[in-house]
Amino acid sequence: MFETIPDNYKNLSLALGFFDGVHRAHRKVITNAVEYARKKHTKSAVITFNTHPAEAAGKEVKYITTIHTRDTLIKKLGVDYIFSIDFDNNLMNITHIDYLDALVKKFAPRAVTTGFNHTFGKSRLGTVDFIKENSKKYGYEYFMIDPEEINGEIISSSIIRKKLTEGDITGANTMLGHPFSFSGEVIYGNQIGRTIGFPTANVNYPEKLVMIPYGVYSVKITVKNTTYRGMMNFGVKPTVNKTISAPVAEVHILDFSGDIYGEIVNIKIEKRIRAERKFPSLDELKKQITKDLKEC
C-alpha cells in the first residue's frame, strides 16, 4: 500500500481524501493541514489515490478534474507533499483498522484532517468517529472540517458533477471556487469555421471527464501561457456533420490569430450560452455565432 513511499516522511500533518475537483470544501481540509504544519514547524501532505475507489470496484466514474489537474490545484495550496496511491484490490479489501494502523506506522502523523463525511477501509467502516477515537492511541491531533454550504446546498463532488451534467456551469463553478476546465492538444478539424469568418481551435474532450451538455459556452483559453477570451461549441456540429461522431470542443479565440496545431491548451468554461442545434444553412449559423459572441 505505502511500499513505494520512502520511510523518511514522519511527523506530518496529513489531509486525507480523493479531492476530485478540489472544490471550496476540499480546500478547507487541505488548508487546515497546511496551516497546522506551518504552526508546528513540520511538513504537510495529502494522502490520496490515482483512481476513484468506485472505479476500482468496477463502476464507471466521470471526474471533475484529471488527476494531473487535481494535483496541480492541490500544490497551489502550499502542500509540501502529495502521495497518490494506486487503489488496487488489496487496498479495496483492507479493513479500516489495518488501514489506519498502516497509515500511522508509515507517516507517524502529528495531525490528521478530513472532511465531515470521510470514510475508508472495507465496507467504508472507517469513519470520522473512528479516526477521532484513535487519536490518543496513535498520538495525533484530529481535525474534522464541517460541511460547507452555498445557497442551502452542501458542497460536494457529486453535486458538482450533477450540476455540470445539467449544464449549470455557473452553479458548479461557484461550488468549485474556480472554473471547470480541461486541457488538450489542438487538432485538425474540417476547417469550415474559417470559411465563415470564425476559425476555431479543435480539442478532443477528455474521455473520463464529466460530460457537459452539447452547446455553446463562454470560455477562457490559455495558449502558450497567454489567456484569451473565447466561445466554445461542444458537440457533434450537426449543421456541418452528416453523421454523429465523438463530441469535440471547438473554440473561436477572440483577438487571436496564428497556427497553434499541436499546442496543448487549457480551456476554462465560464457559462453556457445555449444548446447546440442544427441550422438550415451556414449563413444562419454565422448569424447565430455573431449573436452568441455578444454574450462572451
Side-chain angles (χ1 to χ4, degrees):
M1 177 168 43
F2 301 119
E3 293 83 1
T4 59
I5 302 172
D7 291 327
N8 57 327
Y9 295 99
K10 302 292 185 182
N11 300 313
L12 301 178
S13 173
L14 302 180
L16 309 182
F18 186 69
F19 303 119
D20 184 25
V22 196
H23 55 60
R24 291 178 184 272
H26 288 156
R27 291 205 295 276
K28 281 197 169 184
V29 173
I30 297 167
T31 299
N32 186 81
V34 170
E35 291 178 349
Y36 179 94
R38 289 173 178 170
K39 181 179 178 181
K40 299 296 184 178
H41 306 290
T42 187
K43 300 292 185 180
S44 59
V46 165
I47 309 297
T48 187
F49 306 109
N50 292 326
T51 55
H52 195 284
E55 186 173 13
K59 297 179 181 179
E60 183 182 19
V61 175
K62 293 295 186 180
Y63 294 88
I64 300 169
T65 56
T66 63
I67 298 301
H68 173 75
T69 299
R70 179 200 66 179
D71 290 354
T72 298
L73 290 169
I74 289 174
K75 288 175 183 176
K76 288 181 179 180
L77 299 175
V79 173
D80 294 299
Y81 313 114
I82 300 175
F83 299 116
S84 197
I85 303 160
D86 291 327
F87 200 96
D88 56 18
N89 287 332
N90 290 330
L91 189 55
M92 188 163 53
N93 291 310
I94 193 171
T95 68
H96 59 298
I97 297 170
D98 288 342
Y99 180 81
L100 183 61
D101 185 65
L103 186 79
V104 170
K105 285 181 179 177
K106 188 68 178 183
F107 300 105
R110 293 184 65 179
V112 175
T113 305
T114 74
F116 71 99
N117 57 354
H118 183 72
T119 58
F120 58 93
K122 188 176 182 180
S123 301
R124 302 173 69 179
L125 293 178
T127 63
V128 294
D129 288 336
F130 178 76
I131 301 173
K132 183 178 181 180
E133 289 165 2
N134 282 274
S135 60
K136 289 185 179 179
K137 172 184 175 182
Y138 288 119
Y140 58 76
E141 290 190 62
Y142 175 59
F143 301 94
M144 183 198 78
I145 304 303
D146 291 329
E148 181 85 354
E149 291 188 7
I150 291 180
N151 298 324
E153 285 187 297
I154 294 177
I155 297 174
S156 70
S157 296
S158 59
I159 291 178
I160 292 171
R161 291 188 197 103
K162 183 174 184 293
K163 288 182 181 295
L164 290 170
T165 59
E166 293 173 348
D168 182 8
I169 305 299
T170 302
N173 287 349
T174 299
M175 286 194 166
L176 284 168
H178 55 83
F180 174 66
S181 69
F182 64 95
S183 297
E185 180 182 350
V186 178
I187 59 175
Y188 284 94
N190 52 24
Q191 299 185 335
I192 289 178
R194 67 178 59 191
T195 68
I196 60 174
F198 299 102
T200 58
N202 292 260
V203 180
N204 286 328
Y205 194 77
E207 182 181 354
K208 288 193 173 184
L209 219 59
V210 174
M211 183 68 73
I212 58 175
Y214 293 173
V216 177
Y217 296 84
S218 174
V219 303
K220 287 184 179 178
I221 180 169
T222 301
V223 183
K224 299 179 180 178
N225 297 317
T226 301
T227 301
Y228 304 87
R229 296 202 63 78
M231 184 175 72
M232 178 182 77
N233 184 87
F234 175 68
V236 293
K237 301 177 286 185
T239 303
V240 297
N241 274 354
K242 300 290 185 182
T243 59
I244 298 296
S245 61
V248 66
E250 285 187 300
V251 181
H252 174 61
I253 309 174
L254 279 64
D255 303 315
F256 176 84
S257 64
D259 183 354
I260 56 173
Y261 291 116
E263 293 288 339
I264 301 297
V265 298
N266 177 258
I267 300 169
K268 292 181 173 63
I269 305 177
E270 296 188 316
K271 68 175 181 178
R272 190 180 189 212
I273 296 173
R274 62 171 173 85
E276 183 181 55
R277 66 178 186 267
K278 184 174 182 177
F279 292 89
S281 68
L282 288 179
D283 282 341
E284 290 299 315
L285 173 60
K286 183 176 179 179
K287 289 178 183 178
Q288 184 61 54
I289 292 174
T290 302
K291 291 180 182 178
D292 294 337
L293 282 170
K294 294 177 182 179
E295 296 194 45
C296 290

